[in-house]
Amino acid sequence: MAHLAETYACVPATERGRGILISGDPRSDTITYCNGRSVIIRQLGAPLEPSIYGEHAYQATVARFSPNGEWVATADVSGVIRIWGRYGDRALKNEFRVLSGRIDDLQWSPDGLRIVACGDGKGKSFVRAFMWDSGTNVGEFDGHSRRVLSCAFKPTRPFRIVTCGEDFLVNFYEGPPFKFKLSHREHSNFVNCVRFSPDGSKFITVSSDKKGLIYDGKTGEKIGELPMEDGHKGSIYAGSWSPDSKQVLTVSADKTAKVWEIMEDGCGKLRRTLECPGSGGVDDMLVGCLWQNDFLVIVSLGGTITIFSASDLEKPPVSFSGHMKSITSLVCLLQGGQKVFLSGSYDGIITRWIQGTGYVGKVVRKGSSQIKCLAAVGEEIITSGFDNKVWRIPLNDDQCGDTEPVDVGSQPRGIAVAVQIPELALVSIDSGVVMLRGLKVISEIKLGYAVTTSAISPDGTEAVVGAEDGKLHIYSISGDTLTEEAVLEKHRGTITAICYSPDASMFASADSNREAVVWDRESREVKLKNMLYHTARINCLAWSPDNHLIATGSLDTNVIVYELDKPASNRITIKGAHLGGVYGVAFGDENSLISAGEDACVRVWKIEPQ
């Protein structure tokens, strides 16, 4: 049996030059956001127990809880809205194709019966409001000529809808059935967000022209604005009202968030400027915010979520982060006597995790080039990207030491390190292997066949090289030369992963034809066969520290754990471990398995052998 112990969720997907509109459920202090095809629901008090919904066929863009908190409406880039139950088996209530293009924002009416959505559409339909149970239209929304970025539903009767977008317009509609009432063109750039105050008396629009304007909620007339002298110095991407409707939180590309007091006459007065901790780079631009009860939630372009306390703005904020893009590699290493997991994602970010704590920081390194291969041993990490260079980087907590890259002449396909002699590394390239000792290339060996991956024994005396034709070539290593000892033939597909057991008495190999094999190192006989239970390419392998369990992760989204002294049919299968495929597995100890994948999440599973 395997059960999910912890999930280290991905962060909201962001885009340069655009805001993101996160939302929450005030009754349970929960926020929801989207990344790829996943919709993530996180409790602000318990960030290690997120709930993730992955039923969208296309990239999800926005999610909103219904007023009673029981339903969630989520939208995607194809213009589809799915309405599903938040609890239990998440039953799908309805699915509607609302627009012909991407949906950027949606809101429920306060009675939970209607939904308004806006975004990009072909022709004139950029906004639509409909009944949540039947999908029938409740009004005509004309007046916009370009993509509509945000919409808001007045939370009290009489109902009103306000929309704003890339045509610099703010349009006001009365209803239901809703019809056009008036339009404002006070902004001189994209209007990024519109929000009604919870008591329905006012609404605010914020724009890339650095202005925030306040309007009367019932008539739609402009009544005031946020003062420019204390204002933001960059585009304002989002705004959110306090529960008492007296204050507004705004975030901007100038890397600050500001809390404003809104007077009765509609004018704003700056109460506080909030600085989020960060390095000061582009990734610290703030693109999303939410005021939820006592939490001020702020999202940066790099995906970091920072939470301030509204009642005590002096209190230092809490930050947590993660990956935004799919994770390509996962390694485990000991740092200061405790196990640390490093996950590297496609965009070049390496994140540190500690079991039980979750996110403990990102590894700060000089070049932020993309990462294809990642290995770690002792106090250093070895990485390679999509160029010909291999980096050996000394690691001190989350700070990297200075280092120079080694050019291996071709793009690395894999990196293996001899655990007992950490300076010795074997790099696989298309035409053969390159041996590194420290930062020096000691030999470059052309092997005469297409190499896909390789492994080196912990004592550095033997190497196994996997070929595109499915053969495993075993070499003995002496000094800087490789001598071929044997060729093992059992796989029917390209070799994708090879891994020695911790005690070096066995090694495991896996191929693109979904099969894994465990071999005895001395006799070179098959030790565990018929490991054929995946339905697609196997991407990664891992051994447990006691050499008793072996885990495989595959493109079919599953992780399978085999016990060595039982037949392969006695396996433990974790179905749907990661949406889109599993790209990294590692054991924390004898009965905890860590996995990572395409959905940019890292999960910890407790394994209980039968």
Side-chain angles (χ1 to χ4, degrees):
M1 280 295 296
H3 67 267
L4 182 61
E6 292 170 16
T7 301
Y8 311 143
C10 53
V11 295
T14 60
E15 189 185 338
R16 181 85 188 264
R18 297 231 176 255
I20 60 165
L21 303 170
I22 58 170
S23 73
D25 173 22
R27 276 183 289 194
S28 59
D29 275 333
T30 314
I31 60 168
T32 174
Y33 56 82
C34 303
N35 183 324
R37 287 166 44 207
S38 309
V39 176
I40 294 92
I41 297 174
R42 279 182 109 150
Q43 268 191 309
L44 295 172
L48 292 188
E49 298 164 21
S51 152
I52 297 177
Y53 177 82
E55 299 290 316
H56 275 281
Y58 295 89
Q59 182 193 336
T61 53
V62 60
R64 295 280 180 268
F65 292 111
S66 64
N68 64 8
E70 294 291 320
W71 302 94
V72 187
T74 53
D76 63 28
V77 293
S78 69
V80 166
I81 288 182
R82 290 175 75 94
I83 300 163
W84 43 277
R86 178 176 167 188
Y87 303 107
D89 59 357
R90 301 197 183 135
L92 181 67
K93 166 86 174 168
N94 268 315
E95 184 176 55
F96 303 116
R97 179 169 289 283
V98 178
L99 300 178
S100 55
R102 172 195 175 101
I103 294 177
D104 284 306
D105 197 7
L106 68 91
Q107 292 279 326
W108 291 78
S109 64
D111 56 8
L113 297 178
R114 301 172 187 83
I115 291 175
V116 58
C118 66
D120 208 353
K122 298 175 180 70
K124 289 180 79 173
S125 57
F126 297 105
V127 186
R128 220 183 115 193
F130 56 92
M131 302 301 289
W132 85 295
D133 49 359
S134 62
T136 47
N137 280 358
V138 283
E140 289 294 318
F141 295 87
D142 33 18
H144 279 291
S145 57
R146 291 184 65 186
R147 177 172 164 185
V148 177
L149 297 175
S150 183
C151 55
F153 219 117
K154 183 163 172 276
T156 52
R157 290 181 184 274
F159 290 157
R160 302 281 185 267
I161 286 177
V162 185
T163 59
C164 62
E166 292 187 356
D167 49 9
F168 313 169
L169 295 180
V170 177
N171 287 352
F172 191 77
Y173 302 87
E174 289 183 335
F178 292 96
K179 54 184 189 294
F180 180 80
K181 172 79 187 305
L182 56 98
S183 179
H184 291 282
R185 201 184 173 125
E186 310 272 346
H187 287 291
S188 57
N189 206 329
F190 291 0
V191 191
N192 293 316
C193 179
V194 56
R195 289 291 176 259
F196 271 98
S197 59
D199 65 3
S201 63
K202 305 178 189 69
F203 65 91
I204 185 170
T205 58
V206 296
S207 157
S208 294
D209 62 5
K210 309 171 195 169
K211 283 202 282 199
L213 306 181
I214 317 282
Y215 304 82
D216 182 278
K218 197 169 173 188
T219 63
E221 295 303 324
K222 181 186 161 193
I223 53 175
E225 61 183 274
L226 304 179
M228 288 296 277
E229 59 270 15
D230 298 329
H232 285 291
K233 305 285 183 285
S235 303
I236 307 178
Y237 287 129
S240 184
W241 288 84
S242 63
D244 63 2
S245 304
K246 291 183 176 157
Q247 299 180 76
V248 164
L249 169 69
T250 58
V251 292
S252 157
D254 65 7
K255 305 175 188 145
T256 63
K258 291 181 188 282
V259 179
W260 307 85
E261 274 185 55
I262 307 297
M263 310 298 173
E264 280 306 307
D265 61 358
C267 287
K269 185 175 124 209
L270 182 65
R271 182 177 155 213
R272 185 70 190 264
T273 298
L274 304 174
E275 295 276 349
C276 290
S279 59
V282 171
D283 277 353
D284 292 336
M285 289 182 177
L286 304 180
V287 293
C289 66
L290 178 67
W291 191 316
Q292 182 139 299
N293 302 339
D294 189 42
F295 296 103
L296 303 184
V297 182
I298 296 167
V299 182
S300 74
L301 183 64
T304 302
I305 298 172
T306 306
I307 301 169
F308 288 87
S309 163
S311 54
D312 180 10
L313 292 172
E314 301 292 335
K315 200 165 139 190
V318 178
S319 292
F320 51 87
S321 189
H323 288 286
M324 194 183 295
K325 298 274 191 287
S326 68
I327 299 173
T328 52
S329 47
L330 177 73
V331 292
C332 167
L333 77 165
L334 278 168
Q335 268 192 333
Q338 87 185 125
K339 280 231 161 145
V340 177
F341 297 94
L342 299 180
S343 53
S345 63
Y346 151 81
D347 52 359
I349 286 168
I350 302 176
T351 305
R352 296 171 69 235
W353 313 92
I354 291 176
Q355 208 173 318
T357 313
Y359 174 79
V360 286
K362 288 183 178 163
V363 173
V364 185
R365 57 198 184 102
K366 265 190 183 160
S368 58
S369 56
Q370 293 174 325
I371 290 181
K372 187 174 177 228
C373 313
L374 173 68
V377 61
E379 295 286 307
E380 70 171 0
I381 53 174
I382 304 170
T383 69
S384 71
F386 291 86
D387 52 9
N388 299 350
K389 295 186 174 64
V390 174
W391 297 76
R392 288 190 87 118
I393 308 169
L395 196 60
N396 182 10
D397 285 343
D398 57 358
Q399 294 299 321
C400 289
D402 287 338
T403 183
E404 288 301 312
V406 184
D407 194 325
V408 294
S410 181
Q411 184 183 319
R413 312 236 358 207
I415 298 173
V417 187
V419 181
Q420 293 160 18
I421 320 169
E423 67 266 19
L424 187 64
L426 193 67
V427 180
S428 339
I429 55 176
D430 276 339
S431 57
V433 290
V434 176
M435 279 171 73
L436 301 179
R437 195 176 287 277
L439 290 170
K440 282 198 181 70
V441 174
I442 53 171
S443 68
E444 219 171 300
I445 302 149
K446 297 267 186 286
L447 293 176
Y449 53 86
V451 173
T452 53
T453 185
S454 63
I456 187 167
S457 64
D459 59 5
T461 59
E462 183 181 81
V464 183
V465 179
E468 209 161 82
D469 58 9
K471 291 178 182 161
L472 292 167
H473 299 258
I474 297 181
Y475 296 89
S476 60
I477 302 174
S478 61
D480 57 0
T481 56
L482 294 186
T483 314
E484 188 166 329
E485 299 286 336
V487 179
L488 305 178
E489 296 188 36
K490 179 158 179 23
H491 288 286
R492 294 185 294 259
T494 300
I495 307 292
T496 54
I498 308 170
C499 185
Y500 274 92
S501 62
D503 67 358
S505 66
M506 300 165 281
F507 63 90
S509 54
D511 66 29
S512 59
N513 197 24
R514 69 182 210 286
E515 182 174 17
V517 180
V518 176
W519 306 83
D520 186 80
R521 185 177 163 191
E522 284 300 309
S523 64
R524 297 182 183 137
E525 297 292 322
V526 174
K527 196 148 180 185
L528 183 60
K529 56 178 192 286
N530 296 339
M531 298 162 73
L532 272 161
Y533 293 96
H534 283 294
T535 55
R537 181 181 78 226
I538 297 176
N539 291 322
C540 48
L541 292 168
W543 287 87
S544 64
D546 61 1
N547 309 293
H548 181 61
L549 302 174
I550 182 153
T552 58
S554 160
L555 189 63
D556 65 6
T557 74
N558 302 340
V559 172
I560 299 181
V561 181
Y562 300 95
E563 287 182 69
L564 215 54
D565 50 6
K566 292 187 182 164
S569 53
N570 276 30
R571 66 205 180 277
I572 298 169
T573 304
I574 303 169
K575 276 197 163 36
H578 293 275
L579 190 70
V582 182
Y583 286 95
V585 283
F587 276 89
D589 52 44
E590 282 73 22
N591 49 17
S592 66
L593 177 69
I594 325 299
S595 65
E598 174 90 17
D599 59 2
C601 297
V602 177
R603 290 189 171 85
V604 180
W605 309 89
K606 284 279 172 250
I607 306 287
E608 295 157 11
Q610 286 118 324

